[in-house]
């Protein structure tokens, strides 16, 4: 490992040297301030002491890698000394609060704000210090409302416009061919015809009744699973929906009962895999590969292109198979699946930094570079060109990128600090456009039904979420699994609605409507 890291460090060193010569995104286009008159210098470097920053590494990283090449690159470029730390609820509770870190959800921001951990941010400060990014994010003004409490902003919101993780349908085309269906289903009726044929007409040709149409993820996610089927009825359980100015929860809407009736019938007829209650996205991919089911909901990036991960994995494991991607089926309520909307993650700053103006200035210098300086964004997200990554097309200077041999897995890149110091989707649209895959962008535009079925409150945290949300989600998952599997009658949906309301749902609904009127109705 040391030998590999040494090689990578050697590859990065020229970039570090160049960083001192290139104009960046700091004050007036310079990465470091010029030394004051009379300040001594050594080898042309400013003698100003580095600003010490405690940096919460990317929240999806498993842990800290100290003194990685990317960390050293950032320290040299911005004249800082970084202490990387892993942020957890326990570390925050113990008082170990980084100067800057990322959070994945408005609920996290609300929780830490309640603990006095976060610094409130003046939007005018963001506009002044991050002008390029602010110009893009202000077009999505509702995102600011998701992390505004007591009329103060507590985080820098990120956004994502074209979402490669939007869900659509990945079909076994060879199975469709074998059961006499000539095109990927477009409507709910066509979808139903196909999944029944998969369950009843021996599409794998082995002479056994061992196939199902589909499976789901009934209790292993934040919602209900079967997102495209609920979407065909115009609803997503656990999301807040707006109808005629009123906010209601998708879990208890009449359209949800209609979707459950359809799923219940499919299960009774042997179309849904009985293991849907415990299946996950990983397990249902394996069932697609292994000739057990004929269609899954898949992320567009993983299923829409010939080089997509699920497509290539399918070919490797089942060479005679063929897949085809398609939109979510259109039903009585339209078409759609679970959609996170334009919301991405959030960058927050510790409340203790508000009394350290030099450090705050340095953090915003870094934030501006992380959002609009191509060199900094590439180093923290991709690594070194030619070592960690390159453009997919030989000789290209824009377009799709790919990681090089030895760095295909994120864990390997983390060892060199790539991703650890990334601040996520605070990049400008200009950068995103330059480094995006045009084929994937077109696939997203073709197959995504977003943002029709997303949360009316942009997944904002309600005041009483902590008291009720988790228990209500579990209650929903239990009832829905039992209704679909036939363990309890469909009419028990009404019993569920009553329990949901009495168990805190009514209070959350009241808060949701108040928040919508105060923060989102005119956004």
């Amino acid at each position: 490992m040391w030998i590999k890291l040494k090689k990578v460090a050697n590859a990065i060193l020229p970039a570090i040297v160049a960083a001192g010569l290139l104009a960046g995104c700091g004050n007036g286009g310079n990465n470091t301030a010029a030394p004051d008159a009379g300040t001594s210098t050594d080898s042309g470097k400013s003698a100003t002491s580095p600003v010490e920053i405690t940096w919460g590494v990317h929240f999806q990283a498993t842990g800290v890698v100290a003194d990685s090449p990317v960390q050293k690159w950032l320290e040299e470029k911005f004249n800082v000394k970084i202490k990387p730390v892993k942020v957890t609820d326990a570390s925050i509770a113990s008082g170990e609060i980084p100067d800057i870190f990322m959070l994945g959800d408005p609920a996290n921001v609300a929780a830490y704000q309640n603990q006095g951990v976060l610094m409130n941010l003046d939007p005018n400060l963001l506009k002044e210090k991050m002008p390029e990014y602010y110009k893009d994010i202000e077009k999505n003004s509702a995102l600011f409302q998701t992390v505004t409490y007591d009329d103060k902003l507590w985080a820098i919101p990120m956004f994502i416009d074209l979402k490669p993780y939007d869900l659509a349908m990945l079909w076994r085309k060879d199975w469709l061919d074998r059961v006499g269906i000539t095109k990927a289903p477009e409507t709910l009726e066509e979808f139903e015809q196909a999944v029944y044929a998969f369950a009843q007409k021996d599409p794998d040709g082995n002479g056994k009744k061992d196939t199902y149409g589909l499976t789901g993820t009934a209790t292993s996610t934040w919602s209900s699973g079967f997102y495209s089927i609920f979407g065909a009825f115009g609803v997503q359980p656990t999301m807040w929906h707006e109808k005629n100015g009123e906010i209601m929860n998708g879990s208890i809407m009449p359209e949800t009962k209609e979707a459950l009736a359809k799923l219940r019938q499919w299960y009774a007829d042997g179309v849904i895999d009985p293991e849907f209650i415990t299946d996950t996205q990983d397990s249902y991919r394996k069932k697609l590969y292994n000739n057990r089911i004929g269609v899954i909901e898949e992320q567009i990036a993983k299923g829409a292109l010939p080089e997509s991960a699920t497509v290539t994995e399918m070919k490797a494991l089942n060479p005679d198979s063929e897949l085809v991607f398609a939109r979510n089926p259109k039903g009585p309520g339209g078409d759609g699946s679970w959609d996170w909307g334009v919301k991405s993650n959030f960058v927050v700053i510790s409340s203790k930094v508000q009394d350290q103006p030099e450090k705050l200035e340095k953090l915003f210098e870094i934030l501006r570079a992380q959002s609009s300086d191509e060199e900094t964004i590439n180093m923290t997200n991709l690594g070194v060109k030619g070592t960690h990554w390159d453009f997919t097309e030989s000789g290209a200077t824009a377009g799709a990128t790919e990681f090089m041999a030895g760095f295909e897995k994120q864990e390997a890149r983390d060892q060199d600090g790539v991703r650890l110091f990334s601040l996520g989707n605070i990049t400008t649209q200009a950068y995103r456009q330059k480094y995006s895959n045009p084929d994937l962008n077109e696939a997203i535009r073709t197959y995504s039904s977003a943002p029709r079925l997303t949360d009316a409150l942009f997944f904002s945290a309600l005041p009483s979420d902590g008291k009720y949300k988790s228990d209500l989600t579990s209650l929903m998952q239990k009832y829905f699994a039992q209704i679909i599997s036939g363990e309890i009658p469909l009419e028990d949906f009404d019993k569920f609605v009553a329990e949901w309301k009495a168990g805190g749902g009514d209070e959350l609904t009241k808060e949701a409507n108040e928040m919508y009127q105060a923060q989102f109705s005119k956004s």
Side-chain angles (χ1 to χ4, degrees), residues 129-203:
K129 300 297 185 182
M130 302 173 66
E132 299 87 356
Y133 179 70
Y134 191 86
K135 184 178 179 181
D136 288 341
I137 192 65
E138 68 177 343
K139 302 171 188 174
N140 301 289
S141 59
L143 289 176
F144 289 94
Q145 297 297 335
T146 64
V147 285
T148 295
Y149 318 115
D150 302 326
D151 296 322
K152 294 178 180 178
L153 180 68
W154 297 94
I156 303 172
M158 304 178 195
F159 73 100
I160 184 163
D161 35 11
L162 288 173
K163 301 183 295 303
Y165 48 78
D166 279 345
L167 298 166
M169 309 312 302
L170 186 59
W171 291 89
R172 284 287 300 266
K173 184 180 184 302
D174 51 327
W175 280 23
L176 290 172
D177 293 340
R178 287 175 189 166
V179 299
I181 297 175
T182 58
K183 67 179 181 67
E186 297 176 0
T187 66
L188 188 61
E189 291 76 13
E190 292 171 350
F191 186 102
E192 184 173 66
Q193 178 189 358
V195 294
Y196 268 77
F198 291 165
Q200 297 171 352
K201 294 186 177 181
D202 190 26

Side-chain angles (χ1 to χ4, degrees), residues 485-506:
S485 64
E487 186 177 338
I488 60 176
L490 178 64
E491 289 68 30
D492 275 10
F493 177 79
D494 301 327
K495 180 181 176 182
F496 156 70
V497 171
E499 287 188 33
W500 187 91
K501 290 182 174 182
D506 276 345

Side-chain angles (χ1 to χ4, degrees), residues 199-251:
Q200 297 171 352
K201 294 186 177 181
D202 190 26
D204 61 348
N206 68 355
K208 300 177 182 179
K209 189 173 176 56
D210 58 357
T211 57
Y212 297 92
L214 73 161
T215 189
T217 56
T219 59
S220 59
T221 67
W222 54 87
S223 185
S224 61
F226 297 112
Y227 305 118
S228 63
I229 307 306
F230 284 101
F233 289 86
V235 69
Q236 287 297 328
T238 74
M239 276 191 190
W240 294 103
H241 293 280
E242 182 273 327
K243 282 198 171 182
N244 301 318
E246 181 182 357
I247 301 299
M248 57 191 72
N249 195 276
S251 301

